[in-house]
Amino acid sequence: MRAFVVTGPREGAVQDVAAPEAEPGQVVVDISRVGVCGTDVEFYTGEMAYLHQGYASYPMRLGHEWCGIVSALGRGVDESWLGRRVTGDTMLGCGHCPRCVSGRHNVCEDRFEIGIRGGFPGALAEQLAVPATALLALPDSVDDVAGALVEPGGNALRAVRGAALSAGDRILVLGLGTIGLLVGEFARAQGAEVHLVDRSDRTLDFARTLGFSGVWRAEELPALPWDAVVDASNSPQLPALALDLVEPGKRIVYIGLSGTPSLIDTRTLALKDVTAVGILAGSAGLAGTIETYASGAVDPRPLVGATVGLAQAGDVLAGRLTPTGPGPKTHIDPRA
């Protein structure tokens, strides 16, 4: 089969590789759509921390935001999966440690991460082998575009849950990439008053087309009490700003990661009696994301600004090919 293989920093190409086989407990999925995210770009450039921490190494196959159709079953897998449209959890825990047993498999010390950690091949390919336990079925009302946005949606939904909002609460989202915009969408669907901050006028204009009116550059932000602040940026300065802005006794949620260490003053955290929540992975939010997409309460599809073929994956990862539409997300169709 064809797969995009990254062989070193800023080096990668489509290669013919062995097609996956469904081992016991696994299925093979024919991939319909794959999203490219900032983590993939960091692996391509060589900046991703896992490369320097020993959790990942070249050559590697990226792609953890995906959907497709189950085409083969391994021994022990329920036959009802065959032919179903699915997406799946990126985080594959060992299944038996205390973290996995308690539902925290996303932080299992020995976990694999599809297309990210431990050498587990990703979905930038025509096919992907994945444990059946990681699968989630997609209803007909969630098409391939939305299906490949379930993984970032799960992250966003977990961030909104971490903010512990009540109807009418005011939430501020810093950084309007795909996840930041989805945080705004999920928070609005829950009845919150949503305000969004970014430094790009193009991004702010796009957010307005999604129906958001509280859209600001940081220097224009009104002095309002914020019941929750979500940092979905990659800026090392914004985590401290989130802490400064949030109301005492309320919550900040950190889901964005900067390329360099970011600092907050824990004295401020304590003296404001603020709860800080960190989010890693969408695992516990995937099912809820599918339900929300299926209901129509959140439609993620406008966030996709371009869809290209597998041969153009390198140009996307290198930043030579950017979305032609207003949305920030690029999808890849491995069949094209």
Side-chain angles (χ1 to χ4, degrees):
M1 69 169 184
R2 296 163 64 243
F4 187 83
V5 181
V6 180
T7 53
R10 301 188 181 277
E11 297 178 356
V14 175
Q15 298 182 9
D16 289 324
V17 302
E21 297 184 2
E23 302 292 335
Q26 290 187 339
V27 305
V28 171
V29 178
D30 293 345
I31 298 298
S32 302
R33 198 65 62 93
V34 191
V36 176
C37 86
T39 299
D40 300 316
V41 173
E42 288 186 1
F43 273 119
Y44 183 76
T45 61
E47 297 170 314
M48 210 289 178
Y50 279 1
L51 290 167
H52 310 287
Q53 296 167 343
Y55 294 126
S57 61
Y58 302 118
M60 64 185 304
R61 300 213 305 258
L62 303 171
H64 59 279
E65 304 175 3
W66 57 270
C67 68
I69 299 173
V70 176
S71 59
L73 307 178
R75 180 166 48 85
V77 176
D78 189 325
E79 293 184 0
S80 67
W81 282 115
L82 191 62
R84 298 183 75 178
R85 294 179 59 251
V86 296
T87 186
D89 195 347
T90 299
M91 304 305 220
L92 309 177
C94 70
H96 54 75
C97 72
R99 296 177 189 175
C100 286
V101 171
S102 65
R104 295 177 292 135
H105 67 279
N106 61 307
V107 290
C108 170
E109 185 66 28
D110 297 319
R111 70 184 180 275
F112 291 97
E113 298 179 27
I114 293 175
I116 296 176
R117 175 175 163 140
F120 201 101
L124 272 179
E126 293 176 322
Q127 293 184 311
L128 172 70
V130 62
T133 53
L135 295 177
L136 295 98
L138 294 174
D140 291 341
S141 54
V142 178
D143 66 11
D144 288 346
V145 178
L149 285 162
V150 168
E151 195 278 339
N155 281 272
L157 180 55
R158 288 195 64 219
V160 173
R161 289 173 176 172
L165 298 170
S166 298
D169 278 356
R170 183 180 293 117
I171 182 174
L172 179 65
V173 184
L174 307 177
L176 301 184
T178 297
I179 289 180
L181 288 166
L182 285 170
V183 169
E185 296 266 20
F186 279 107
R188 181 171 60 183
Q190 293 186 14
E193 178 187 327
V194 178
H195 292 255
L196 309 172
V197 170
D198 201 88
R199 61 187 178 185
S200 164
D201 288 335
R202 181 176 185 270
T203 299
L204 296 174
D205 288 341
F206 174 63
R208 293 185 182 98
T209 70
L210 299 176
F212 294 105
S213 56
V215 178
W216 316 96
R217 296 180 67 89
E219 60 271 21
E220 302 167 343
L221 188 65
L224 296 172
W226 308 107
D227 297 298
V229 180
V230 176
D231 174 27
S233 76
N234 59 5
S235 166
Q237 287 79 39
L238 291 190
L241 178 63
L243 179 56
D244 288 341
L245 291 173
V246 72
E247 274 287 283
K250 297 293 187 172
R251 290 188 170 221
I252 48 176
V253 179
Y254 294 119
I255 191 169
L257 294 174
S258 63
T260 56
S262 53
L263 302 176
I264 64 170
D265 189 337
T266 58
R267 295 171 299 179
T268 304
L269 186 75
L271 293 171
K272 290 183 71 172
D273 197 29
V274 165
T275 299
V277 179
I279 300 293
L280 174 68
S283 302
L286 298 176
T289 296
I290 293 172
E291 293 173 5
T292 306
Y293 289 176
S295 74
V298 170
D299 182 2
R301 294 172 297 178
L303 275 63
V304 178
T307 302
V308 301
L310 191 62
Q312 295 170 288
D315 290 331
V316 174
L317 291 164
R320 294 188 295 268
L321 183 63
T322 56
T324 54
K329 176 65 69 175
T330 297
H331 273 178
I332 291 175
D333 182 348
R335 305 163 298 183

